[in-house]
Amino acid sequence: MFAFLVCSQALVAADAKHTNRLANEKSPYLLQHAHNPVEWYPWGDEAFAKAKKENKPIFLSVGYSTCHWCHVMERESFENEEVAKLMNQSFVNIKVDREERPDVDRVYMTFVQATTGGGGWPMSVWLTPDLKPFVGGTYFPPEDRSGLPGFKNVLKQIATAWKEDREKILASSNQVVDALQKYSAQGKSNAKSGEDVRQRAYKQIADSFDAKLGGFGEAPKFPRPVTFNFLLHHYASQRDSEEGKRALEMTLTTLRKMAEGGIHDHLGGGFHRYSVDKFWHVPHFEKMLYDQAQLAVSYLQAFQITREPIFEQTARDILDYVRRDMTGKEGGLYSAEDADSIEPVAAVYDRRAEDEQHTNPGAHRAPLQKIEGAFYVWTKEEIDKLLGPERAKLFDYHFGVEPKGNAPAGSDPHAEFKGKNILIQRHTIAETAKKFGLNEAGAAESLAESRKLLFDVRAKRPRPHLDDKIITAWNGLMISAFARAAQVLEDPAYLEAANKAADFVQAKLYQRDTNTLLRSYREGASDIEGFADDYAFLIAGLLDLYEASFDTARIEWALKLQERQNELFWDEKEGGYFGTTGKDPKILIRMKEDYDGAEPSPNSIAAVNLLRLAYMLDKSDWRAVAEKTIHAFDGQLARAPSAMPQMLVALDWLRSKPKQIVIAGKPGAPDTQAMLREVRRHFLPIHVLIVADGDAGQEFFAQRVEFMKSVAPIREQATAYVCENFVCQLPTTNLAQLSKLLTGGPATAAR
């Protein structure tokens, strides 16, 4: 299959009628457009100079390589000679990979959202030569369709307006930038979030909860792990209250329904981006690393709380998928897999070559089409043939396989899944076993064997495109997931994966001489310096990795990176972190990310990082920075608290007394491991964990925290110290007593 893909890519390049400047780029998204007839430029001085010299507006197209609608717009418009001619005549055309340049994406997406009421990718924005936006949108069909203006008409209208009303457009663009600058500063408010902010966020989330099917709101349904993080913190703060129990149940119900749904890849593992229907059944099939990372943590937390096997199995399923399919040879973690994949259409006869008879050996070959989800879906006939009639009956019952396909009504408007089945768990193992007169172990074994058979056959299909770009921020999120899995599941394979990813980032994406991160790596590191999320997410990953390995080199690096993040991004006047350094004059507005969406805000993560470091290393100044970061967003929290659930987690850290858990003992010794196992068995969302090893690891902390000089095992047995602000309960060597200390049982204080 690899040879097939390499050959097909080579043929595209060899047969290409056009080649533009994107052919020299490394981004998979830009390379996908390198042979369009459009004269694309990458974001940079050459394009900007051309626009100014020729006094042309810029057409800016922003997307990413696994974006389904980006592919659609390319096929319909950017590969069309007529459309390309219009674009080349009247505009300087720039392509941007939003994953490489989130700074560019953020500025112009804010404009599109403010002026159209929506956003998404592909993003289409027209700019003056000074990079000021004046028209924006997302996907445009080639012709007027379904209430959307056609791209060709839009191009013609904008080109005409530029010729006839240029001064008006320039004046308007200046007003737009002024408005955007005011919008970006609206967090600077005297409004206070108030003591009730967490309660109001909980109510907003609870009011949107789908009690029957899980999730929040109507279709489409997105997994939003930051919401789970908030709800589980809310539960942990009031475990015995009805509200706490409901917060937990909303999370567990949603995680169960997602695990059962078609959004979950039941054969290969991992989760797709979102579900187009309310049942979690028909997904948008792309797989993003940031989703896998955050969802793995959500399932690990659910397992810690409940010990239910489904949560452990689903967490492992995600983690093993990433290890198998999204990990490079050197340990770096890839970005995404596409929604679309190639499907041979064998039934189609290519009549364009009827008169050629057989002079062209390829004239009657079935064309190859890229179809959403083609890699993942099955006909009933395929399954029945592969599994045999008896095994297939059980499998079909369990996973909802139907002769005419199983996409629910309204979920497949383009009939892409007609006659196809998207696997969804319709019945429990117990129900399936009862239906076929088996015991549960026998039913589970049959289903596992069937999944393996289908997985092996599926592996021979053309795979979806892999975006093998390695992004620092997303690697940080996944390092966290692997490190937490190593702790909760006691699996050294996950610790190895976390260490390899961290080593890769440090070796390839970190400039030691300047203590600076780079954004991404593909065939070498990019020359784009890291953004605030690269620092925040990686620091969080390193802190989790320390608590999994107790290698103080990880926390030393985290300290250096936090200092650098403060230097580059901190807002001395108002508090909080800008997303960019402000050094690039081509980025018109220096913005702060506040929304906790598919990815958390770097400000939310940074605030928790600062508090973790403060409580690990007794850095009260960083606690003050964390507090100022949180309060920098009081205005947003007051207006819409449920938009910032991860910031509310940071607020929970700030208002709580985090447990400082110190285990004095040798890291590999059985009694130390037993103590660590007891700590990790509990869901303790607000704590730091340190091992005092009597050696270099303890010395690292003792140099910074006076208390750590005196911590030692009692009677040469591993000893636990459970503290708040370095005021500790009496140390214990007893696991049962440690459990009481962790869960709030009575104990006597000692200094």
Side-chain angles (χ1 to χ4, degrees):
M1 184 189 73
F2 176 76
F4 167 80
L5 291 174
V6 169
C7 288
S8 65
Q9 290 168 353
L11 284 170
V12 167
D15 293 345
K17 184 177 176 182
H18 305 278
T19 299
N20 57 52
R21 287 165 177 79
L22 301 185
N24 299 318
E25 298 297 306
K26 292 179 180 178
S27 157
Y29 177 63
L30 300 188
L31 290 171
Q32 285 173 349
H33 295 264
H35 300 291
N36 294 165
V38 178
E39 294 173 6
W40 290 116
Y41 287 77
W43 179 268
D45 290 337
E46 184 183 9
F48 307 150
K50 179 180 172 67
K52 286 188 174 182
K53 181 181 178 181
E54 298 180 10
N55 202 10
K56 283 183 175 179
I58 291 168
F59 171 64
L60 174 65
S61 177
V62 182
Y64 55 102
S65 78
T66 60
C67 163
H68 172 71
W69 287 103
C70 299
H71 301 329
V72 172
M73 193 163 177
E74 180 189 18
R75 288 195 299 266
E76 292 179 341
S77 294
F78 303 148
E79 292 178 351
N80 183 290
E81 298 277 356
E82 181 186 355
V83 173
K85 185 177 180 181
L86 289 171
M87 294 173 69
N88 297 336
Q89 284 176 343
S90 301
F91 305 96
V92 174
N93 303 291
I94 297 178
K95 264 285 174 195
V96 167
D97 182 338
R98 67 171 293 264
E99 296 168 355
E100 274 193 332
R101 296 300 305 257
D103 53 340
V104 176
D105 179 67
R106 177 85 198 284
V107 169
Y108 297 110
M109 184 60 75
T110 301
F111 164 71
V112 170
Q113 290 173 331
T115 54
T116 70
W121 299 276
M123 177 169 64
S124 306
V125 190
W126 284 263
L127 320 176
T128 68
D130 290 328
L131 306 180
K132 297 175 181 178
F134 60 92
V135 174
T138 53
Y139 163 79
F140 290 95
E143 308 288 348
D144 294 354
R145 186 173 70 208
S146 303
L148 293 173
F151 189 54
K152 285 191 286 188
N153 288 337
V154 172
L155 290 170
K156 291 174 183 177
Q157 290 170 12
I158 293 174
T160 299
W162 182 257
K163 289 177 183 177
E164 297 177 357
D165 292 308
R166 187 172 307 169
E167 294 305 316
K168 186 176 179 181
I169 289 173
L170 292 173
S172 173
S173 69
N174 289 329
Q175 293 172 356
V176 163
V177 172
D178 289 343
L180 289 175
Q181 287 172 335
K182 290 177 183 176
Y183 174 81
S184 69
Q186 67 177 225
K188 302 170 186 177
S189 166
N190 292 324
K192 293 296 181 183
S193 54
E195 290 297 317
D196 68 336
V197 63
R198 189 171 73 171
Q199 192 65 34
R200 291 194 297 113
Y202 169 80
K203 187 175 187 309
Q204 288 173 4
I205 292 168
D207 286 348
S208 69
F209 177 60
D210 182 339
K212 182 178 180 182
L213 299 169
F216 304 91
E218 296 297 320
K221 282 186 175 175
F222 289 81
R224 192 180 172 209
V226 288
T227 301
F228 304 147
N229 293 346
F230 166 72
L231 289 173
L232 292 179
H233 270 253
H234 201 60
Y235 156 74
S237 69
Q238 45 184 309
R239 297 180 191 229
D240 295 327
S241 73
E242 288 304 313
E243 191 170 290
K245 291 175 183 176
R246 185 162 187 242
L248 175 62
E249 190 53 39
M250 285 191 287
T251 303
L252 298 182
T253 297
T254 302
L255 291 174
R256 288 189 189 101
K257 293 298 184 182
M258 286 173 54
E260 294 167 0
I263 192 174
H264 177 203
D265 180 357
H266 292 278
L267 302 184
F271 280 80
H272 302 294
R273 179 75 275 273
Y274 63 87
S275 172
V276 304
D277 59 76
K278 64 181 181 180
F279 306 103
W280 303 104
H281 187 175
V282 178
H284 180 46
F285 281 91
E286 66 184 310
K287 290 181 175 179
M288 309 300 296
L289 183 65
Y290 59 75
D291 281 327
Q292 314 311 319
Q294 295 176 90
L295 285 171
V297 171
S298 296
Y299 280 98
L300 288 167
Q301 291 174 330
F303 176 64
Q304 275 187 303
I305 293 166
T306 67
R307 315 309 290 184
E308 290 182 24
I310 184 176
F311 298 123
E312 177 185 2
Q313 292 162 4
T314 309
R316 287 186 180 277
D317 175 269
I318 298 167
L319 297 160
D320 293 343
Y321 157 68
V322 173
R323 289 173 61 219
R324 184 189 67 238
D325 289 345
M326 297 190 74
T327 303
K329 290 181 180 179
E330 297 179 87
L333 304 164
Y334 299 141
S335 297
E337 286 195 295
D338 206 342
D340 299 1
S341 50
I342 293 171
E343 178 182 70
V345 189
V348 177
Y349 183 85
D350 190 352
R351 298 191 181 278
R352 293 169 296 180
E354 273 186 330
D355 58 346
E356 297 180 25
Q357 296 181 2
H358 297 289
T359 56
N360 179 355
H364 298 274
R365 185 174 56 200
L368 294 173
Q369 295 184 3
K370 276 198 168 184
I371 303 292
E372 165 113 26
F375 181 72
Y376 299 100
V377 299
W378 301 85
T379 65
K380 186 176 187 304
E381 291 74 17
E382 286 175 312
I383 290 173
D384 291 355
K385 183 177 180 181
L386 288 167
L387 301 183
E390 293 307 313
R391 191 193 298 269
K393 285 179 184 177
L394 186 145
F395 185 89
D396 292 352
Y397 177 80
H398 191 75
F399 286 109
V401 177
E402 299 176 14
K404 294 182 179 180
N406 68 358
S411 66
D412 184 24
H414 304 294
E416 291 177 296
F417 307 123
K418 186 177 181 180
K420 304 292 179 65
N421 288 275
I422 300 159
L423 301 183
I424 179 171
Q425 186 180 319
R426 293 293 194 197
H427 302 280
T428 65
I429 294 288
E431 289 169 341
T432 301
K434 183 178 180 181
K435 172 76 173 178
F436 293 93
L438 301 171
N439 59 37
E440 290 186 27
E445 182 180 1
S446 174
L447 289 168
E449 290 171 354
S450 296
R451 286 199 305 271
K452 179 65 167 60
L453 282 168
L454 294 180
F455 173 82
D456 290 343
V457 170
R458 193 181 78 172
K460 297 174 184 177
R461 295 175 174 177
R463 285 196 70 92
H465 156 72
L466 172 70
D467 188 322
D468 56 357
K469 182 169 69 268
I470 296 168
I471 296 173
T472 299
W474 298 358
N475 272 248
L477 291 174
M478 199 69 221
I479 289 166
S480 280
F482 279 131
R484 292 192 184 197
Q487 296 177 63
V488 175
L489 304 179
E490 297 186 78
D491 192 328
Y494 299 139
L495 181 57
E496 181 184 13
N499 275 317
K500 283 185 174 180
D503 289 344
F504 181 92
V505 173
Q506 192 164 25
K508 305 291 187 181
L509 286 162
Y510 176 59
Q511 296 177 331
R512 291 176 185 270
D513 55 340
T514 59
N515 190 27
T516 301
L517 291 172
L518 299 173
R519 174 63 177 177
S520 61
Y521 181 99
R522 186 178 185 273
E523 298 177 359
S526 71
D527 57 2
I528 302 165
E529 291 189 358
F531 301 99
D533 63 338
D534 294 300
Y535 285 84
F537 296 178
L538 180 59
I539 291 165
L542 293 172
L543 296 180
D544 286 328
L545 187 48
Y546 167 75
E547 293 190 350
S549 66
F550 305 107
D551 178 357
T552 53
R554 301 305 188 190
I555 201 169
E556 283 189 88
W557 190 27
L559 274 170
K560 289 179 181 178
L561 292 176
Q562 187 61 63
E563 289 166 355
R564 186 61 169 156
Q565 181 181 347
N566 293 349
E567 292 170 11
L568 293 174
F569 304 103
W570 177 249
D571 181 352
E572 288 286 353
K573 183 179 179 183
E574 302 290 344
Y577 293 93
F578 292 107
T580 62
T581 63
K583 293 188 293 186
D584 185 349
K586 300 299 188 291
I587 303 301
L588 301 181
I589 304 166
R590 198 177 182 202
M591 306 180 79
K592 290 178 191 172
E593 182 67 58
D594 54 8
Y595 179 61
D596 294 315
E599 300 172 60
S601 158
N603 280 285
S604 301
I605 298 298
V608 175
N609 291 343
L610 289 161
L611 290 165
R612 291 175 75 179
L613 287 164
Y615 285 109
M616 278 182 160
L617 302 170
D618 201 14
K619 291 178 72 69
S620 58
D621 55 334
W622 281 9
R623 188 186 187 282
V625 174
E627 184 170 11
K628 193 171 182 181
T629 298
I630 294 166
H631 289 310
F633 298 93
D634 274 345
Q636 290 95 317
L637 285 170
R639 285 190 296 273
S642 63
M644 301 184 70
Q646 191 65 35
M647 187 61 82
L648 292 173
V649 168
L651 184 62
D652 202 16
W653 268 82
L654 183 68
R655 291 177 175 175
S656 301
K657 294 179 179 179
K659 281 186 167 59
Q660 297 152 308
I661 304 164
V662 181
I663 307 298
K666 296 298 180 185
D671 55 349
T672 304
Q673 290 299 311
M675 285 279 182
L676 292 171
R677 190 175 300 114
E678 181 60 33
V679 172
R680 292 162 172 170
R681 186 173 66 83
H682 297 276
F683 176 61
L684 304 168
I686 302 180
H687 81 284
V688 296
L689 177 62
I690 297 169
V691 163
D693 61 3
D695 205 340
Q698 184 165 354
E699 179 62 22
F700 170 83
F701 288 96
Q703 289 173 359
R704 296 162 173 83
V705 182
E706 186 68 24
F707 161 80
M708 289 297 294
K709 294 178 180 178
S710 61
V711 171
I714 296 174
R715 295 184 298 277
E716 298 186 357
Q717 296 180 62
T719 303
Y721 296 74
V722 179
C723 318
E724 290 178 1
N725 200 26
F726 295 104
V727 175
C728 303
Q729 307 291 341
L730 287 174
T732 183
T733 59
N734 182 276
L735 293 177
Q737 178 64 13
L738 172 58
S739 180
K740 289 181 181 178
L741 292 172
L742 295 174
T743 55
T748 306
R751 185 73 190 185

